[in-house]
């Protein structure tokens, strides 16, 4: 096994998987902090911080951050989730020290320049608008809110225009100091790397992170309910959620297999029943999202108009009936290795 793990004195975990036959490396910093850790007046700040990390430090301007990595043929990006935020890069093996230096710099010493801050607020408000104009994205924003009402886990990761406009350098630094702490940070690298060299670079560049682990968020409670929003569209977008299991639950992998069999691909029972047999929709799928203490099982689809071009809602009703019409396994003969194949699909990151 080529995976090695070292926990530094500060509490940062360094995980590597050396692949000597490669000439490139992927590496990143994963922080156990996301939108779920936001206070009520911080709605959207996790995502905003992720954006602002790339907008300059005391050593580098926003342009220099982008150019230093791309000048050596690499790329740099980030993503915010409910319970984690990731900052990552891909570079040639000789540029691993540079990538770690840049990642440490943007996280430990962001400048939060006021002009950059105002510009990025406008960018994120445009991003919020883009989601509002994309019904197959927006429906899952509504689904999350109904599933976890009055909880940070139910709120949009992007925030609202009002909350985004309220953020300044002081609020960003307070959130950063409260949540970006050494025991909550994992630095991971895979590819053309050497474990001891990565550990040495992390010790060199990430020394500013310390302190105890950040406080845990409040336990989540699945609520449930219904949300209907009428728009002049060609389709009715439908999403259904049920309570799932947490990421540490022993049933997680069984549920992932079930998810893939039900709606994980073209051979899935939902796809075969709703699209192939009945022609009700273009896409239909199911997936499970596990969190640290709870999970959410989801299905989603865009229901087409009925054949006589009557109200799109007619297609939605037929789609609901198609869900209920899926019979026992005997009604849908499967190869004996279906579960094994579905498990493999889950390991590849689908569903």
């Amino acid at each position: 096994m080529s995976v090695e793990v070292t926990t530094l004195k500060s509490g940062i975990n360094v995980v590597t998987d050396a692949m000597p036959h490669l000439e490139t490396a992927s590496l990143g910093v994963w922080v156990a902090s996301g939108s779920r850790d936001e206070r009520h007046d911080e709605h959207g700040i996790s995502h905003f911080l992720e954006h602002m990390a790339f907008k300059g430090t005391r050593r580098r301007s926003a342009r220099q951050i982008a150019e230093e990595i791309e000048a050596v043929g690499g790329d740099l990006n980030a993503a915010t989730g409910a319970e984690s935020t990731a900052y990552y890069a891909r570079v040639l093996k000789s540029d691993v020290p540079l990538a770690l230096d840049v990642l440490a710099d943007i996280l430990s010493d962001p400048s939060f320049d006021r002009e950059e801050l105002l510009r990025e607020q406008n960018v994120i408000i445009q991003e919020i608008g883009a989601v509002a104009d994309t019904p197959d994205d927006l429906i899952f924003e509504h689904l999350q809110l109904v599933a976890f009402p009055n909880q940070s886990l139910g709120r949009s990761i992007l925030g609202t225009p009002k909350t985004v406009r309220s953020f300044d350098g002081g609020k960003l630094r307070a959130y950063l100091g409260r949540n970006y702490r050494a025991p909550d940070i994992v630095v991971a690298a895979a590819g053309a790397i050497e474990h001891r060299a990565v550990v040495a670079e992390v010790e060199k560049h990430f020394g500013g992170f310390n302190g105890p682990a950040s406080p845990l968020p409040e336990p989540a409670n699945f609520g449930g309910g219904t949300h209907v929003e009428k728009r002049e569209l060609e389709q009715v977008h439908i999403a259904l959620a049920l309570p799932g299991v947490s990421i540490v639950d022993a049933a997680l992998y069984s549920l992932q297999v079930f998810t893939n069999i039900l709606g994980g691909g073209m051979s899935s029972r939902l796809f075969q029943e709703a699209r192939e047999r009945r022609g009700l929709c273009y896409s239909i799928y199911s997936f499970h999202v596990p969190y640290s203490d709870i999970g959410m099982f989801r299905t989603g689809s865009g229901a087409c108009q009925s054949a006589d071009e009557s109200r799109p809602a007619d297609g939605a009703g037929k789609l609901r009936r198609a869900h209920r019409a899926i019979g026992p396994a005997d009604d849908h003969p499967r190869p004996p290795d279906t579960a094994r194949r579905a498990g493999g699909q889950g390991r590849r990151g689908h569903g």
Side-chain angles (χ1 to χ4, degrees):
M1 189 71 175
S2 59
V3 175
E4 296 184 70
V5 181
T6 296
T7 301
L8 306 184
K9 290 181 180 179
S10 64
I12 292 177
N13 287 291
V14 182
V15 184
T16 66
D17 188 353
M19 303 175 185
H21 58 286
L22 299 181
E23 294 296 322
T24 62
S26 296
L27 60 152
V29 181
W30 278 259
V31 185
S33 176
S35 61
R36 190 175 175 183
D37 298 280
E38 297 167 355
R39 296 170 178 170
H40 185 72
D41 63 346
E42 294 176 332
H43 181 197
I45 200 169
S46 304
H47 177 251
F48 190 61
L49 174 60
E50 174 225 306
H51 275 237
M52 288 304 300
F54 293 87
K55 297 306 172 183
T57 70
R58 283 188 289 186
R59 292 169 49 201
R60 295 176 171 94
S61 66
R63 182 163 183 166
Q64 287 173 320
I65 290 169
E67 288 182 343
E68 284 195 33
I69 293 295
E70 294 185 1
V72 296
D75 63 78
L76 185 66
N77 212 331
T80 304
E83 296 186 321
S84 66
T85 306
Y87 305 81
Y88 48 92
R90 289 181 294 181
V91 292
L92 294 171
K93 63 181 179 181
S94 59
D95 298 311
V96 168
L98 170 65
L100 287 170
D101 179 23
V102 171
L103 288 169
D105 191 25
I106 66 175
L107 295 178
S108 62
D109 196 23
S111 60
F112 299 140
D113 177 79
R114 177 167 172 74
E115 290 187 6
E116 291 282 4
L117 190 147
L118 293 173
R119 273 195 293 267
E120 207 59 28
Q121 286 174 336
N122 290 329
V123 169
I124 292 177
I125 289 170
Q126 294 298 317
E127 187 176 358
I128 293 170
V131 170
D133 286 343
T134 311
D136 50 342
D137 287 341
L138 183 63
I139 192 171
F140 287 105
E141 300 272 289
H142 293 321
L143 189 70
Q144 195 81 11
L145 184 61
V146 172
F148 300 104
N150 303 313
Q151 301 167 70
S152 58
L153 190 56
R155 297 196 298 255
S156 168
I157 290 173
L158 300 179
T160 68
K162 182 179 179 180
T163 59
V164 170
R165 290 284 189 204
S166 73
F167 301 146
D168 56 25
K171 285 187 177 181
L172 287 168
R173 292 186 192 283
Y175 179 85
L176 182 67
R178 189 177 79 240
N179 292 286
Y180 280 48
R181 298 181 179 178
D184 301 311
I185 293 175
V186 173
V187 180
I193 50 91
E194 197 277 320
H195 182 75
R196 286 180 295 178
V198 173
V199 169
E201 291 292 332
V202 174
E203 288 179 323
K204 175 182 176 182
H205 295 297
F206 287 79
F209 293 96
N210 47 49
S214 59
L216 294 175
E218 291 292 323
N221 294 296
F222 190 95
T226 304
H227 176 89
V228 178
E229 182 175 314
K230 294 185 178 181
R231 290 193 180 188
E232 292 295 325
L233 299 171
E234 292 298 316
Q235 291 185 311
V236 174
H237 293 269
I238 305 168
L240 168 71
L242 297 169
V245 301
S246 77
I247 201 165
V248 296
D249 194 300
L252 174 65
Y253 299 104
S254 297
L255 180 54
Q256 296 291 76
V257 170
F258 168 77
T259 299
N260 284 318
I261 292 173
L262 179 66
M266 289 192 297
S267 67
S268 70
R269 295 172 74 175
L270 281 177
F271 191 94
Q272 286 295 313
E273 180 71 26
R275 172 170 163 161
E276 298 296 279
R277 181 167 172 245
R278 302 188 181 214
L280 295 176
C281 56
Y282 175 72
S283 66
I284 185 167
Y285 47 87
S286 65
F287 58 102
H288 177 254
V289 181
Y291 301 107
S292 59
D293 61 342
I294 200 169
M296 183 161 63
F297 175 84
R298 308 174 181 179
T299 66
S301 179
C304 307
Q305 291 185 347
S306 57
D308 61 1
E309 296 187 357
S310 58
R311 294 180 303 120
D314 293 343
K318 290 182 179 180
L319 186 60
R320 286 193 297 270
R321 291 193 290 275
H323 275 76
R324 293 194 296 268
I326 296 175
D330 290 346
D331 295 342
H332 302 262
R334 293 273 170 172
D337 62 347
T338 294
R340 179 185 64 80
R341 291 175 179 272
Q345 185 180 8
R347 286 193 297 274
R348 291 195 300 272
H350 299 289

